[in-house]
Amino acid sequence: MVGGGVMGVSIAFHLAEAGVRDIVVVERGTLGCGSSGKPIGGVRAQFSDPVNIELGLRSLRAYGDFGRRPGGDIRFERVGYLFLLSEDADAAAFEESVATQNALGVPSRLVSPARARELCPYVRTDGLVAAVHSPDDGHARPGLVIQGYARAAARAGVRFRTGTTVTGVDLDPSGERVTAVRTDHGVIPCSTLVCAAGAWSAEVGAAAGVRLPVRPVRRQIAFTRPLHPPAPRIPFTIDFSSTAYFHNSDDGLLFGLADPAQEEGFDTTWTEDWVGLFRDVARRRAPALADMEVAGGWAGLYEVTPDRNALIGRDARLANFLYATGFSGHGFLQAPAVGEVVRDLHLGRDPVVDVTPFRADRFGSGGAAAGGRPEVHVV
């Protein structure tokens, strides 16, 4: 296994729980040091693609049961997700998505702007045409999730090689199977290689001759100073057209926004420049937030694919090369279900969720996905 983020430790746990032995997780830094290290992660089943909905819903249930299996308090709060919609076309698309979600068991609803303000008192309704709310969504702490999975996996015999960088992949003479992973600390023979390396997955795939079209893009969040009086308990609130979002965070609020000018790359330096973009949105959508003082923040990497859907599956040429990457910001919220899926793929049985549409070979040489399944609910 390459990658010790939330996806890697979830896969390792589910494999070990199913009785798979001799599992080694290779991580270039410390567990969770990459994108999974963000302080708070949203968890939702509100998507447009049925596969994403099923992965999100199954993961929501797993996070709700995390205290029992694998064990540990992850500070999971079902505050709901609230999407604010200011365009008629977006409202129509979300209405269609809600119908798909409801058919799969997600209790999302299209609500009025007035109801959106009741759910989140910070919201100004001017210019809103609708909103979508699902009460079962929420947020949890990725660091605590990683610790819970890693502890349980270690108890089941999983070995973690942190501070270890993959330098190459060896294949058998036929070029049809992986035989070993080379690292800066030696060679690790393997019967199966699972790539869950997040933003670095393209490099791991290339070492084995597997194309994984994943690009790294920096995303940043900011925290306010402690608020007095405390902020009301609010949903994870997203102004969809601008991608600006905010929600509770300990004794203040957390802000985020996808900066459209952000260039690709592995830079994870936190800067405050983008906060001005968030404040501009807040002045019209949530004015009370516009002048709140920022105490600091965090920067991490989205692992982005051309259609913003994940890459999950088994390589067509290398039968023992599995991959789970390219989640485009949705990895934490889908990690429990994807852990089960990769377990099933490794064991040769039908996965709990059919992820066939997410095979990496869906992309042609030009980067377009055959059949076209772009995810609408992307932030």
Side-chain angles (χ1 to χ4, degrees):
M1 174 91 61
V2 180
V6 67
M7 197 61 63
V9 296
S10 171
I11 294 169
F13 164 74
H14 285 95
L15 286 169
E17 182 186 52
V20 178
R21 296 293 174 256
D22 297 324
I23 300 171
V24 179
V25 177
V26 177
E27 165 56 48
R28 62 199 297 271
T30 58
L31 295 183
C33 69
S35 300
S36 299
K38 58 182 179 291
I40 297 178
V43 183
R44 62 180 165 105
Q46 287 193 69
F47 288 95
S48 61
D49 190 294
V51 179
N52 283 326
I53 296 169
E54 291 188 69
L55 292 173
L57 184 57
R58 194 172 185 90
S59 293
L60 271 170
R61 293 168 179 157
Y63 281 137
D65 192 40
F66 201 93
R68 183 189 66 84
R69 172 182 173 268
D73 178 11
I74 59 172
R75 298 179 64 180
F76 179 34
E77 297 187 38
R78 289 189 186 272
V79 295
Y81 255 70
L82 179 66
F83 283 92
L84 307 175
L85 309 174
S86 55
E87 303 291 337
D88 289 333
D90 289 337
F94 269 72
E95 185 174 18
E96 183 177 336
S97 296
V98 165
T100 303
Q101 293 160 17
N102 292 169
L104 293 171
V106 179
S108 53
R109 293 290 182 271
L110 201 70
V111 300
S112 68
R115 177 56 179 156
R117 181 171 174 78
E118 291 176 2
L119 291 164
C120 181
Y122 289 117
V123 170
R124 173 186 279 173
T125 60
D126 296 0
L128 286 185
V129 298
V132 175
H133 177 245
S134 184
D136 283 359
D137 298 338
H139 49 72
R141 306 295 171 123
L144 297 177
V145 171
I146 291 169
Q147 291 173 27
Y149 275 139
R151 282 195 301 264
R155 287 195 299 268
V158 174
R159 291 171 287 162
F160 293 95
R161 300 273 188 91
T162 56
T164 302
T165 301
V166 172
T167 59
V169 175
D170 293 337
L171 308 181
D172 69 4
S174 71
E176 296 179 351
R177 294 190 66 83
V178 175
T179 58
V181 172
R182 283 179 275 125
T183 77
D184 57 354
H185 286 77
V187 177
I188 304 174
C190 64
S191 58
T192 299
L193 171 58
V194 180
C195 177
W200 292 267
S201 293
E203 299 173 11
V204 175
V210 176
R211 181 172 178 266
L212 297 175
V214 176
R215 300 172 290 112
V217 179
R218 180 173 61 171
R219 287 288 183 265
Q220 302 191 73
I221 59 173
F223 300 95
T224 69
R225 294 198 179 278
L227 299 179
H228 304 287
R233 190 171 188 263
I234 60 174
F236 193 126
T237 303
I238 302 169
D239 182 60
F240 184 67
S241 62
S242 69
T243 75
Y245 63 87
F246 57 92
H247 57 73
N248 299 102
S249 175
D250 294 329
D251 50 8
L253 294 175
L254 179 151
F255 299 158
L257 179 140
D259 183 350
Q262 180 63 59
E263 297 181 354
E264 295 177 12
F266 289 95
D267 179 20
T268 55
T269 304
W270 185 78
T271 64
E272 201 171 336
D273 300 348
W274 66 273
V275 178
L277 299 175
F278 178 89
R279 295 191 191 282
D280 289 343
V281 175
R283 288 187 183 95
R284 63 174 173 77
R285 185 55 63 222
L289 277 58
D291 296 319
M292 287 185 178
E293 190 174 356
V294 168
W298 178 92
L301 297 175
Y302 268 24
E303 43 181 295
V304 180
T305 66
D307 65 0
R308 301 302 190 270
N309 276 318
L311 311 176
I312 312 171
R314 180 190 301 278
D315 185 67
R317 180 178 62 89
L318 296 177
N320 64 339
F321 185 101
L322 304 177
Y323 50 85
T325 184
F327 289 90
S328 304
H330 308 141
F332 173 66
L333 68 89
Q334 295 182 343
V338 175
E340 294 180 291
V341 167
V342 175
R343 171 203 65 198
D344 293 343
L345 290 172
H346 174 71
L347 295 175
R349 60 197 194 194
D350 291 338
V352 292
V353 175
D354 182 5
V355 293
T356 303
F358 286 178
R359 288 176 56 94
D361 57 11
R362 69 182 182 270
F363 296 103
S365 58
R373 298 172 65 97
E375 174 54 53
V376 173
H377 298 54
V378 174
V379 180

